[in-house]
Amino acid sequence: MCARFTDGDEGKRVVNAEGDEIGIIETVENESASVNPDPGVTDAIRSKLGWGDSDEESYELAERNVETVTDDEVRLDRL
């Protein structure tokens, strides 16, 4: 899917393919979403998403990782 984020996506839950929440979309700028990760997100998941150090406050969500965007959430593809 080629995700095109809008201001309306701010505050949506970001969930993995199994439905587990991994964060919240914090901001959308130029159709790019920044995610504030859940504190419980493992380093392995961060690595697969291309998110670096665990001390960052937010990370860009790559479109290639998004399966669907609904009214309530952004669901990621299997990582």
Side-chain angles (χ1 to χ4, degrees):
M1 169 183 194
C2 185
R4 299 221 185 254
F5 298 107
T6 67
D7 292 343
D9 294 323
E10 291 179 1
K12 287 185 181 178
R13 298 177 334 122
V14 179
V15 299
N16 65 15
E18 288 78 32
D20 300 321
E21 186 171 323
I22 64 162
I24 301 284
I25 294 186
E26 190 171 79
T27 60
V28 175
E29 189 172 312
N30 299 323
E31 298 181 358
S32 179
S34 293
V35 175
N36 184 347
D38 184 277
V41 173
T42 66
D43 288 339
I45 291 173
R46 286 177 193 273
S47 177
K48 289 178 183 177
L49 290 170
W51 296 351
D53 298 329
S54 60
D55 60 350
E56 295 291 323
E57 291 186 27
S58 64
Y59 300 88
E60 185 172 345
L61 181 58
E63 293 178 8
R64 70 181 177 276
N65 293 323
V66 176
E67 177 68 27
T68 60
V69 177
T70 69
D71 291 340
D72 301 319
E73 68 184 21
V74 175
R75 184 170 293 264
L76 303 182
D77 201 354
R78 294 208 177 271
L79 301 175

